[in-house]
Amino acid sequence: MTSTKSKNFALACIVLTAVLSQPGCKPTDLSKENLIPKPVSVTATGSSFDLTDQTDIYVQGESEELLRIGQYLADKLNPSTELGLEVKTTTEAPATGNIFLSLAANDAELGNEGYELTITDKSVNLVANKPAGLFYGVQTIRQILPAKVEMTTKQKGPWKLATGTIRDTPAYGYRGSMLDVARHFFGVDDVKNFIDQLAYYKMNVLHLHLSDDQGWRIEIKSWPNLTAHGGKTEVGGGEGGFYTQEQYTELVKYAQDRFVTIIPEIDMPGHTNAALASYPELNCDGKATELYTGIEVGFSTLCTNKEVTYQFIDDVIRELAALTPGEYLHIGGDESHATKIEDYIPFMNRVQDMVIAHGKKVLAWDEIALATLKPNTVVQYWAKAENAIKGVAQGAKVLMAPAKSAYLDMQYDSTSTYGLHWAAYIEVDKGYNWDPANLVPEIKKENIIGIEAPLWSETVGARQEAEYLIFPRLLGYAEIGWTPSELRNWDEYKVRLASHGERMRMMNINFYPSKLVPWDGQTKK
Ligand code: TNX
């Protein structure tokens, strides 16, 4: 399309939008696209590329992984566009009118997850150093297309992409969320759905909180009663549930295919009532506890001076490590109020060694910094800055998940239907307006591996309830993890976020329609 034609098209859109309020017109200014997370650099060239029934997706070479990424894009675009995009391999750039994915970047600035997307009126060219970069470029392509592309039924075109170049790479390597499947159990399909949502916003870690007082959610073959008994119920006395190792492996694979690493957490020595109820020998008095369905914390502890406790933990860690391709196992360590500090410290020291012996690195809540941190142990800052600072002083890296800013289970305000508020009320602006590298003076960017937004599930048991707390705040956390802080600004962000209201609706996401965001008419309630 010539630039005059494209200007005419743009003009026609403005007129049509004004007169008929016609949706479907897309701006041809790439720099005005409402991308979340905001890319590092966008250069617009003022024209547009048309996706048509002649368009196909070409990937370079015969790589299985590239074919999979190409197919992922085709599977996202075909149901709504019905353009029948096919995935093909090629050794050189394809003919005009196609999308081309290749690993030809050889561009140090882009790192392992960055990409460069060049859209002209003739082609869409996505290059990266690594497959992960192509996957994130694919998410950008989805977001440049009209929101209705996310529907799973046929929608009316045109399907235009504004032209220009995006160069983009994340600020932090760890961009995660956590799902507490222990307080309320969430099934395989809910977790897969969440993984898809994380991927859309370029997040790459899902931390699963697999055990707590109320439930044990992962099958451990050498200790079968953990799930047979300890998985039976949940907060409020509902049915509970657990993942078999086969189901868990399926989740890990599903996540891996979307460049999301699952980090499993077994919380200890506190938050262990489900295990203590399942095996009497884990208790100091040798008596099993009752299953628990309330929401108190800090009352349970493994018996730290019994050898069987360490046999138990070694079995659990061994089985879990074998199911985990990622480098970290999370061992909890939080709120062990029923464990004496003189028992807690040697316990955490010994369990770290066990994790290392099974070939993994340790991640744990910030209290672990009271113990002696082993090489590569990462401290997850949630409550006490002084703990995280102790971690840094021991040479550890920090994962930023401050409850006051990043807890997805905190209510938005006092009228919120779900959530708690012990740490703070976190409105959408407050969730967005902070910088991990500037929160605690002693914790600098180089000490931080990234950010995580945890969803504790005491008050939410169904997908829609969880989504109400997760969205739209998750988008802000995704942007904090990806976009350099100097490019972030609430007043500009809230406009981009508003346009994602329509996208979230199209994706059937139940989000909180915060009054602070200038949503379009349909979203305002
Ligand atoms: C504190 S955060 C906890 C969790 C609760 C959460 C509720 C953390 C490491 N421990 O056990 O679910 O508060 O917001």
Side-chain angles (χ1 to χ4, degrees), residues 35-42 113 115 140 143 166-175 201-203 432 434-437 445 451 474-489 492-493 496:
L35 302 171
I36 297 180
K38 185 187 177 78
V40 172
S41 122
V42 181
E113 296 185 296
Y115 64 92
T140 299
Q143 290 195 12
I166 296 180
R167 281 178 61 80
D168 202 11
T169 189
Y172 292 101
Y174 187 119
R175 303 176 303 280
Y201 292 108
K202 302 187 174 76
M203 297 185 93
Y432 180 80
W434 62 283
D435 175 6
K445 178 143 198 268
I451 125 160
L474 186 82
L475 284 64
Y477 300 124
E479 182 148 310
I480 293 174
W482 185 282
T483 308
S485 59
E486 58 278 12
L487 297 182
R488 298 199 290 108
N489 164 307
E492 184 266 343
Y493 171 72
R496 279 183 288 123

Side-chain angles (χ1 to χ4, degrees), residues 274-288:
L276 297 168
S278 306
Y279 287 98
E281 61 268 41
L282 299 178
N283 296 270
C284 284
D285 64 4
K287 292 198 188 101

Side-chain angles (χ1 to χ4, degrees), residues 355-420:
V355 170
I356 293 165
H358 289 291
K360 298 296 174 185
K361 297 176 183 168
V362 173
L363 189 55
W365 301 107
D366 61 48
E367 290 93 325
I368 196 179
L370 301 171
T372 308
L373 301 179
K374 305 290 167 168
N376 300 317
T377 290
V378 172
V379 174
Q380 180 163 13
Y381 170 43
W382 69 280
K384 282 201 177 154
E386 61 182 83
N387 287 343
I389 294 165
K390 277 200 180 102
V392 171
Q394 293 194 56
K397 299 269 190 223
V398 177
L399 172 62
M400 298 298 278
K404 285 179 173 33
S405 313
Y407 264 26
L408 288 167
D409 67 315
M410 289 300 116
Q411 293 180 305
Y412 294 93
D413 63 26
S414 60
T415 69
S416 292
T417 319
Y418 304 106
L420 303 170

